[in-house]
Amino acid sequence: MNTLRDTAAVTGVGETRYTRGTEKSALRLTLEASLAAIRDAGLTPPDIDGIVAYASGAVVAEDLLTNFGCEDFRFSATTPMGGASAVAALQCASMAVSTGVATHVLIPLGRDGYSGARINRRVGQMRQFRVVSEFEAPVGANAPAQYYAPMARRHMELYGTTSEQFAEVALTMRRHAALNDNALMRTPITVADHHASRMIADPFRLLDCCLESDGGAAVVVSGAERATDMAQPPILLSGMGVGHPDSPSAITQRPDMTRLGLAKAAPRVFEMAGVTPDDIDVAEIYDCFTYTVICQLEDLGFCAKGEGGAFVEGGRIGLGGALPTNTHGGLLSQAHVAGLNHVVELVRQLRGETGARQVDGAEVGLVTGYGDLGDGSIAIMRRQ
Amino acid sequence: MTQRDRDTPLPVPTAESRPYWNGLRAHRLVLQRCAACKRPRHYPRPMCAACFSLDHEWFAASEQGLVHSWTVCHHAFHRGFRSETPYVLLTVDLTDGVRMVAPLVEADASRLSIGLPVVLDYQDVNEEITMPRFRIHERDE
């Protein structure tokens, strides 16, 4: 039996302002966010003795140590799962602090995704994309929109999922972003705006695709006992896990391309946390594309495969609905820091400090990551 | 699709994949299968995931397949494809049991549906590389 349940807590969170355009380096953005998270936890930089750095980013642990003046650093790791890395890092950090290998582990993530290298260049440098680089990039599949669009198209053909349902996701994220003064896209949009936005990789229109942005986020993970004595109310990590889809190196060869790695991890993680989907008060779901939210809601067990499109209708995933989702605006409308902004938002929701976008009485929440060619990660957290 | 812009990314065949690319160059579909249990696999790799044999062989595969899914690329994420948009990328269930992704010769996606029969076609890019593409298998073929 997995014994990680409630052995670690998120004790600090921090973010920079998100922008589209910056003079700051990814390291500078990472340091700003890290400092904010460390101070939020009531710590100073030398207190950090472990780091889970972003495997797909430009910043390594040594860069932070040099700036932090850490003298007795004990644990360094990466969780190379693309956009699933940040949530996977929570599991990694929990293992380190619950075993006493480290005391306070920092998960930092800063990127100049708007001002620096764009997505098509970034994926070409990732080893997880080696196979598709040889066989699929030369035929014209050069970015995630083009890799994932056939998953969405097949879902539409098999289950009748519609572009109107994709729009429902985009509109909901935008409404939430309007309540967040650190979100980049706050102007309300309509279904007509969604349908009029230019086609990128059918069925994905521009408003089905996440933002490219500059900025940083960071969280501190500490042992659960230590956390009771720190600056913030501890947010316990009750369940964590990762899952890889069948044929993880190529979507093309996957027996069922509508089923993600998350589908394997979710049952394990709900069991570890001792809760069911009905217990989740707020969800932060990795939203690189609108369709990806619909597919993950199915793979998490909130509804059956094929029913995700209907699930997002009628305000169910909006504030005031049964499952408020991406209350910060998500990657679609807040900013893209590879989903660590989703972790920060869930912690703030469970602390009850999100103001106009606060989910009343939020006690148990869930965050997911989605990366590479369908890798999944999930964490369930609760207020102590 | 017309003759490719030379700016498109080209595959770099490896020791593992070269027979596949050499097959396309000869306008034949040559795929890998396990030498022990005969299970076909794509893309080429060292080990059979069913029986873990490290021995493989190559065989002449059927050029026929059925549409599994598709996308229509309107935005080029690589400069070499800017002159080709919009283009259709098909994911195809080949008769031999593996899938391939390749462009559809025509740019019109309106005839596509899951299960539509297609047939492999070849596009010579340069003296060494030929790329796969598909065309819709017409009833009278």
Side-chain angles (χ1 to χ4, degrees):
Chain A
M1 182 182 164
N2 193 311
T3 55
L4 276 185
R5 176 177 171 178
D6 294 341
T7 59
V10 179
T11 52
V13 297
E15 287 173 299
T16 65
R17 295 296 297 180
Y18 296 120
T19 60
R20 280 156 69 86
T22 185
E23 298 294 314
K24 296 174 182 174
S25 67
L27 176 57
R28 164 78 192 235
L29 294 163
T30 304
L31 288 167
E32 280 184 24
S34 298
L35 201 53
I38 291 165
R39 285 178 173 154
D40 183 59
L43 301 173
T44 62
D47 294 323
I48 297 298
D49 58 2
I51 291 177
V52 185
Y54 183 48
S56 305
V59 176
V60 295
E62 286 78 357
D63 292 324
L64 281 83
L65 299 183
T66 303
N67 287 279
F68 284 177
C70 291
E71 291 179 354
D72 191 15
F73 185 75
R74 298 171 181 211
F75 178 73
S76 180
T78 59
T79 47
M81 297 175 71
S85 301
V87 174
L90 293 170
Q91 173 181 255
C92 185
S94 292
M95 291 164 70
V97 298
S98 65
T99 52
V101 169
T103 305
H104 302 293
V105 174
L106 178 73
I107 302 170
L109 209 161
R111 68 199 296 184
D112 52 355
Y114 184 86
S115 300
R118 292 296 183 94
I119 184 66
N120 56 326
R121 281 182 50 207
R122 297 201 302 269
V123 298
Q125 295 160 356
M126 291 164 64
R127 282 169 291 167
Q128 295 95 314
F129 287 77
R130 179 182 62 79
V131 171
V132 294
S133 292
E134 178 174 354
F135 296 97
E136 300 186 2
V139 297
N142 308 107
Q146 295 166 331
Y147 298 132
Y148 306 160
M151 298 164 139
R153 170 53 61 189
R154 188 159 171 91
H155 198 279
M156 295 169 91
E157 298 291 312
L158 290 180
Y159 303 118
T161 313
T162 64
S163 186
E164 284 70 24
Q165 292 165 337
F166 293 175
E168 190 70 33
V169 175
L171 267 59
T172 304
M173 303 307 97
R174 187 60 64 95
R175 276 195 291 270
H176 294 169
L179 302 171
N180 181 356
D181 68 8
N182 194 16
L184 287 169
M185 296 293 176
R186 305 181 65 191
T187 309
I189 50 173
T190 63
V191 174
D193 293 332
H194 172 272
H195 288 6
S197 67
R198 71 189 170 94
M199 196 63 92
I200 301 296
D202 182 287
F204 295 147
R205 297 181 172 281
L206 184 67
L207 289 177
D208 291 307
C209 304
C210 58
L211 304 169
E212 291 270 43
S213 59
D214 304 314
V219 307
V220 178
V221 173
S222 314
E225 242 173 74
R226 181 70 205 270
T228 58
D229 198 21
M230 290 174 63
Q232 302 292 343
I235 302 302
L236 290 171
L237 289 156
S238 299
M240 290 149 285
V242 302
H244 287 75
D246 297 335
S247 179
S249 320
I251 293 164
T252 307
Q253 307 302 331
R254 188 161 303 160
D256 179 359
M257 62 166 64
T258 69
R259 188 170 184 265
L260 303 168
L262 184 64
K264 302 181 186 182
R268 287 189 254 121
V269 174
F270 277 109
E271 187 185 359
M272 188 192 305
V275 300
T276 70
D278 284 344
D279 297 317
I280 301 299
D281 299 317
V282 53
E284 315 297 351
I285 308 285
Y286 197 90
D287 54 331
C288 45
F289 297 92
T290 51
Y291 162 75
T292 318
V293 174
I294 289 171
C295 186
Q296 287 177 92
L297 289 168
E298 297 168 350
D299 288 343
L300 285 164
F302 286 102
C303 58
K305 182 55 67 184
E307 294 175 1
F311 184 90
V312 301
E313 291 177 334
R316 189 179 273 114
I317 62 170
L319 282 166
L323 186 70
T325 299
N326 294 357
T327 43
H328 53 331
L331 306 179
L332 287 165
S333 281
Q334 189 204 21
H336 199 323
V337 255
L340 194 57
N341 49 330
H342 292 50
V343 176
V344 170
E345 175 70 5
L346 179 58
V347 171
R348 288 184 173 149
Q349 283 283 344
L350 295 175
R351 286 182 186 170
E353 59 184 35
T354 54
R357 63 180 195 276
Q358 180 65 41
V359 174
D360 290 336
E363 290 185 4
V364 181
L366 172 157
V367 59
T368 71
Y370 166 95
D372 293 340
L373 296 158
D375 297 349
S377 54
I378 164 178
I380 293 172
M381 303 187 207
R382 66 181 179 90
R383 197 167 65 194
Q384 189 161 34
Chain B
M1 207 179 278
T2 55
Q3 181 61 38
R4 276 175 187 283
D5 189 313
R6 286 296 172 95
D7 276 346
T8 57
L10 290 176
V12 181
T14 65
E16 264 159 31
S17 66
R18 191 162 287 111
Y20 166 74
W21 292 112
N22 286 347
L24 292 180
R25 187 70 196 118
H27 290 205
R28 293 169 64 225
L29 181 60
V30 175
L31 296 179
Q32 199 185 45
R33 72 181 167 208
C34 175
C37 75
K38 307 298 180 188
R39 186 178 294 240
R41 60 183 187 244
H42 201 48
Y43 302 111
R45 59 175 185 266
M47 185 184 275
C48 174
C51 76
F52 317 120
S53 169
L54 284 161
D55 297 321
H56 68 267
E57 59 194 29
W58 297 88
F59 70 104
S62 165
E63 297 170 331
Q64 314 277 330
L66 305 174
V67 169
H68 187 82
S69 194
W70 68 91
T71 180
V72 188
C73 300
H74 292 263
H75 179 88
F77 286 92
H78 187 287
R79 66 182 184 285
F81 291 99
R82 275 181 203 153
S83 61
E84 312 214 359
T85 56
Y87 59 95
V88 179
L89 283 181
L90 293 185
T91 306
V92 171
D93 288 301
L94 292 171
T95 303
D96 285 292
V98 299
R99 295 200 199 112
M100 268 181 81
V101 58
L104 182 67
V105 171
E106 50 263 64
D108 178 15
S110 63
R111 294 174 65 193
L112 295 178
S113 61
I114 290 177
L116 183 76
V118 292
V119 61
L120 191 65
D121 192 18
Y122 303 91
Q123 182 177 35
D124 297 329
V125 179
N126 61 31
E127 307 228 322
E128 282 144 29
I129 295 294
T130 295
M131 295 303 298
R133 57 184 185 177
F134 287 102
R135 55 190 168 78
I136 294 172
H137 192 111
E138 303 297 343
R139 271 173 192 276
D140 54 2
E141 274 190 76

